[in-house]
């Protein structure tokens, strides 16, 4: 499946929420098709979760970057925001079921399952989902790696 087409579909699905939140989206489209061996529904669900999290937890930043690139044997999709970021000691814990960075009653809604499910879906497609560190960047970057199709 063409990863840019899956990103396009996820952004279209979230269009109303993106506009309502007044987010600026930077979509770095690839120059040529990036094909990956994926379940398109599972990939879209992961992308929707990553976009939704940025809209909820990085609302003050009003900016989201999404793009894909080819790497050795993998397609790497990066979703980056300008929110408060994820503390280093929480970057693995955010993928634990029911874990939330902020458990206050006033925080955004959610049960803390989205990233756990997204990571399981990625691993089910022989991929991975992780939080990565961006030098000199405030905010969060989540990186989804999926098996690249050899064409």
């Amino acid at each position: 499946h063409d990863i840019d087409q899956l990103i396009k579909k996820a952004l279209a699905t979230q269009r109303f929420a993106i506009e309502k939140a007044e987010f600026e989206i930077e979509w770095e489209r690839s120059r040529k098709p990036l094909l990956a061996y994926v379940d398109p529904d599972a990939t879209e669900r992961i992308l929707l979760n990553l976009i939704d999290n940025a809209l909820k937890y990085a609302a003050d930043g009003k900016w989201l970057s999404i793009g894909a690139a080819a790497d050795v044997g993998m397609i790497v999709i990066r979703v980056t925001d300008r929110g408060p970021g994820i503390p280093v000691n929480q970057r693995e814990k955010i993928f634990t079921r029911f874990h939330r960075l902020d458990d206050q009653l006033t925080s955004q809604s959610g049960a803390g399952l989205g990233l756990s499910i997204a990571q399981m879906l990625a691993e089910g497609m022989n991929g991975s989902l992780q939080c990565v560190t961006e030098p000199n960047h405030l905010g969060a970057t989540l990186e989804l790696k999926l098996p690249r199709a050899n064409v």
Side-chain angles (χ1 to χ4, degrees):
H1 295 272
D2 184 339
I3 293 299
D4 273 341
Q5 290 302 312
L6 297 175
I7 291 172
K8 179 180 179 178
K9 186 175 179 187
L11 288 172
T13 299
Q14 289 284 56
R15 184 178 61 92
F16 178 74
I18 290 167
E19 289 173 359
K20 184 177 178 186
E22 299 177 343
F23 259 64
E24 175 187 346
I25 303 295
E26 283 187 24
W27 177 18
E28 301 169 27
R29 294 181 182 125
S30 54
R31 297 183 199 276
K32 57 184 177 179
L34 296 174
L35 302 177
Y37 292 115
V38 295
D39 175 331
D41 294 329
T43 304
E44 183 181 1
R45 185 166 178 182
I46 295 167
L47 294 171
L48 290 172
N49 178 266
L50 299 180
I51 295 166
D52 186 59
N53 281 349
L55 296 175
K56 281 196 259 186
Y57 301 112
D60 291 344
K62 302 279 187 210
W63 178 85
L64 174 75
S65 170
I66 187 167
D71 199 2
V72 178
M74 303 297 273
I75 300 294
V76 180
I77 304 168
R78 294 172 71 89
V79 178
T80 302
D81 65 52
R82 289 186 183 147
I86 300 169
V88 174
N89 66 343
Q90 296 289 312
R91 290 186 182 159
E92 289 299 319
K93 293 178 184 178
I94 62 171
F95 298 104
T96 304
R97 288 185 307 174
F98 306 112
H99 182 78
R100 297 187 62 210
L101 290 178
D102 182 0
D103 284 327
Q104 295 178 10
L105 293 175
T106 59
S107 69
Q108 295 289 337
S109 64
L113 288 171
L115 287 175
S116 173
I117 292 168
Q119 187 178 56
M120 285 189 293
L121 290 170
E123 290 171 355
M125 294 183 286
N126 296 314
S128 65
L129 177 63
Q130 62 184 354
C131 181
V132 296
T133 304
E134 287 284 334
N136 304 319
H137 174 75
L138 298 175
T141 297
L142 287 133
E143 190 174 81
L144 172 62
K145 292 184 178 181
L146 298 167
R148 184 175 176 187
N150 297 324
V151 285

